[in-house]
Amino acid sequence: MLRVAVVGSGPSGVYTAQGLVQQSQVPGVRVDVLDRLPCPYGLVRYGVAPDHEKIKSLQNNLRSVLEDERVRFLGGVRIGPDALPASRLRELYHAVVYCVGAATDRHLGVPGEELPGSWSATEFVSWYSAHPDSAAEGFVLGARSAVVIGVGNVAVDVTRILARGTAELNPTDMPQSALTALAASRVTEISMVGRRGPSQARFTTKELRELGALPDTEIVVDPRELELDPAYTDPSGLPAANRRNVEVLRGWASAPPRDPAARRIRLRFFLRPVELLVGEETGGRVGSVRFERTVPDGQGGVTGTGRYEDIDAQLVLRSVGYRGVPLDGLPFDARLGTVPHLAGRVVRDGAIAPGEYVAGWIKRGPTGVIGTNRPCAKETVTSLLQDAEMLLRREVPEDPLVALRAQGLTPVEWAGWQAIERAEAELGASLGRRIVKLPDWASLLAAAARTAGA
Ligand code: NAP
């Protein structure tokens, strides 16, 4: 029996587990999906915006994999030198597939980036998604205008959540504290700012259009700014996705003025952040962001013009992409933020490391939508199955869970996760809402301990 540990229960981890058990090439594969959190689903639970119910419902597909009798979910198990060392994990399984994503955010590297009131978008996302490691709060407290730096899908998510009203947030599974804070938010002006042109924005058209459908929210674009981009005037040479974005923006630029709305989203382009400035009356918090006007350099990039513009913001969300972090005992390409690999096989010092694999963002970098993880995981699974004969030559314990327990670890198993789900439904019912997520370690672990019969 080939025993595989998959580290990470987000989409790439679950698709890897699915690929390993739903095949006939190597019979009898058993997969343990480990996660440092007591809850499965990775970014589907802790990254997909709470108002994106349809994407969130992907959890049902992931659930059916984790409920397969050949797959076991083991939550609350952290791989690391002071927890379960990677070397020990390797002893317990024939193969280990790391599907740990990109755990941190990229930095801007400009003065003032760390001022109070300036956050990475991932900190904001973690807060409203109830990530138990999220310690921050007070994002919107006292803020009237916000700047979101970056024009990817995460930037669109955080912009949309800032612009949503209570009535739309109430049905989501957002934790009660975040809902209360956002309901009291007085942020009415949100600028989402790209350093390059509209034809180079990274958001997808469906997500962009959604901004235009927000109730009581006006979208403002300046046609003169959009026209700085030659591909805006003539989008015929653009890839279809970018052309559709341009068409949506063009529609907004030419739309007749609408009735004044409660909130305004300004989509800005060709502005490069150079400094975050303290506000005059903000008590040391950020008060504005200084941008340098850029122009296309003719090669897909931009150059500065030496002209500057300050945009008021008492809340700044830096949404400039995720970044992988080095893993205990694994090689790491610091430039790309990924683990070097060949078709999913980890490469150490130029040679393939037997029995170690990667899939998802730690393999290819933080790009693509959830579905992109399917072919990515498939490639890794194909490599692993090709190696099966060699992997099976090494003896591993009969049941790694027994060995984990003997080491003092107490993984949260599927029944524990189901108990968390029940607790979240009960909490929702008690608050007159639907499901409401538990936002901290203590309440998650207490709920997990209340398994049936426990
Ligand atoms: P992203 O798509 O890589 O976008 C990053 C943005 O930050 C780009 O606009 C980039 O501009 C900008 N940027 C990078 N460095 C910058 C700097 N120093 N100064 C100013 N701007 C800078 O990253 P993301 O939004 O974090 O998304 C990550 C992945 O998750 C993407 O594949 C995304 O599609 C996916 N995702 C999907 C959904 C969904 O499907 N609904 C939701 C969320 C996330 P340049 O292009 O100029 O570098």
Side-chain angles (χ1 to χ4, degrees):
M1 186 183 287
L2 183 72
R3 287 205 170 273
V4 182
V6 169
V7 182
S9 64
S12 61
V14 177
Y15 290 144
T16 299
Q18 184 174 31
L20 285 168
V21 295
Q22 293 180 4
Q23 49 81 34
S24 51
Q25 189 184 335
V26 180
V29 179
R30 291 289 181 276
V31 183
D32 284 345
V33 180
L34 285 69
D35 203 296
R36 75 182 186 88
L37 297 178
C39 312
Y41 310 136
L43 275 186
V44 176
R45 179 173 161 92
Y46 289 116
V48 171
D51 61 338
H52 271 174
E53 284 199 11
K54 194 154 169 241
I55 308 181
K56 279 214 167 282
S57 69
L58 251 171
Q59 287 190 8
N60 297 328
N61 302 10
L62 305 183
R63 168 193 305 274
S64 65
V65 176
L66 293 177
E67 288 185 337
D68 186 299
E69 59 186 10
R70 296 160 294 184
V71 177
R72 213 164 34 176
F73 171 70
L74 301 178
V77 181
R78 194 164 55 79
I79 310 304
D82 53 343
L84 177 63
S87 52
R88 177 67 183 137
L89 187 65
R90 281 284 293 118
E91 289 169 5
L92 300 181
Y93 294 88
H94 291 112
V96 180
V97 190
Y98 291 91
C99 303
V100 293
T104 190
D105 49 280
R106 291 177 54 197
H107 288 258
L108 284 176
V110 301
E113 184 166 8
E114 305 302 336
L115 279 176
S118 160
W119 311 86
S120 71
T122 49
E123 286 173 299
F124 186 59
V125 171
S126 291
W127 170 67
Y128 67 60
S129 303
H131 195 293
D133 286 345
S134 163
E137 54 186 344
F139 291 90
V140 290
L141 198 66
R144 288 180 179 277
S145 45
V147 159
V148 178
I149 300 174
V151 283
N153 276 334
V154 172
V156 177
D157 276 349
V158 298
T159 297
R160 194 181 65 252
I161 292 293
L162 281 174
R164 283 236 185 260
T166 319
E168 301 142 61
L169 295 176
N170 199 50
T172 71
D173 62 7
M174 184 177 278
Q176 191 64 15
S177 53
L179 179 75
T180 308
L182 288 171
S185 163
R186 291 193 293 160
V187 174
T188 52
E189 185 94 15
I190 308 153
S191 302
M192 191 172 111
V193 188
R195 61 180 172 180
R196 297 193 288 158
S199 72
Q200 294 150 326
R202 304 271 190 104
F203 42 61
T204 42
T205 313
K206 187 169 152 288
E207 276 61 33
L208 178 64
R209 279 206 186 99
E210 231 182 319
L211 293 180
L214 287 169
D216 210 7
T217 304
E218 184 186 358
I219 306 289
V220 181
V221 287
D222 180 348
R224 285 165 308 177
E225 191 169 72
L226 300 175
E227 282 159 12
L228 294 174
D229 185 345
Y232 176 77
T233 319
D234 176 16
S236 56
L238 289 175
N242 305 60
R243 197 170 58 239
R244 283 194 297 269
N245 283 345
V246 164
E247 280 158 11
V248 172
L249 291 166
R250 195 193 292 281
W252 287 337
S254 59
R258 284 177 19 178
D259 292 340
R263 289 172 289 269
R264 200 169 301 118
I265 296 174
R266 294 182 189 277
L267 297 181
R268 303 293 311 270
F269 294 95
F270 291 115
L271 291 172
R272 171 160 76 194
V274 290
E275 188 172 1
L276 276 65
L277 305 163
V278 178
E280 275 174 20
E281 290 167 17
T282 54
R285 285 170 62 101
V286 69
S288 60
V289 185
R290 177 159 297 164
F291 290 93
E292 182 181 15
R293 166 66 67 201
T294 61
V295 287
D297 66 3
Q299 289 163 354
V302 285
T303 49
T305 59
R307 284 183 286 122
Y308 297 88
E309 174 177 340
D310 293 353
I311 302 181
D312 279 352
Q314 303 79 43
L315 167 64
V316 176
L317 296 176
R318 309 176 312 262
S319 184
V320 295
Y322 291 89
R323 197 177 156 69
V325 293
L327 288 164
D328 164 43
L330 278 192
F332 190 69
D333 183 330
R335 193 176 57 84
L336 298 174
T338 54
V339 171
H341 72 96
L342 267 178
R345 294 178 179 98
V346 170
V347 172
R348 193 191 296 276
D349 301 327
I352 284 170
E356 292 176 312
Y357 303 83
V358 280
W361 278 1
I362 196 65
K363 172 185 172 188
R364 61 171 206 276
T367 58
V369 293
I370 292 169
T372 317
N373 291 298
R374 266 188 186 284
C376 179
K378 191 169 176 220
E379 181 191 55
T380 298
V381 167
T382 304
S383 297
L384 194 157
L385 294 174
Q386 280 168 358
D387 299 345
E389 205 183 308
M390 176 262 295
L391 297 171
L392 279 163
R393 283 189 211 129
R394 194 165 57 82
E395 291 234 349
V396 299
E398 177 70 22
D399 184 354
L401 181 53
V402 174
L404 289 175
R405 287 210 185 101
Q407 239 175 281
L409 297 170
T410 48
V412 173
E413 294 181 65
W414 194 247
W417 159 241
Q418 287 178 312
I420 292 173
E421 283 192 305
R422 281 196 301 279
E424 295 190 334
E426 284 162 19
L427 176 62
S430 74
L431 294 165
R433 295 173 59 197
R434 299 215 294 254
I435 292 164
V436 174
K437 280 177 168 175
L438 300 174
D440 57 84
W441 279 96
S443 51
L444 287 169
L445 293 177
R450 289 199 298 272
T451 49

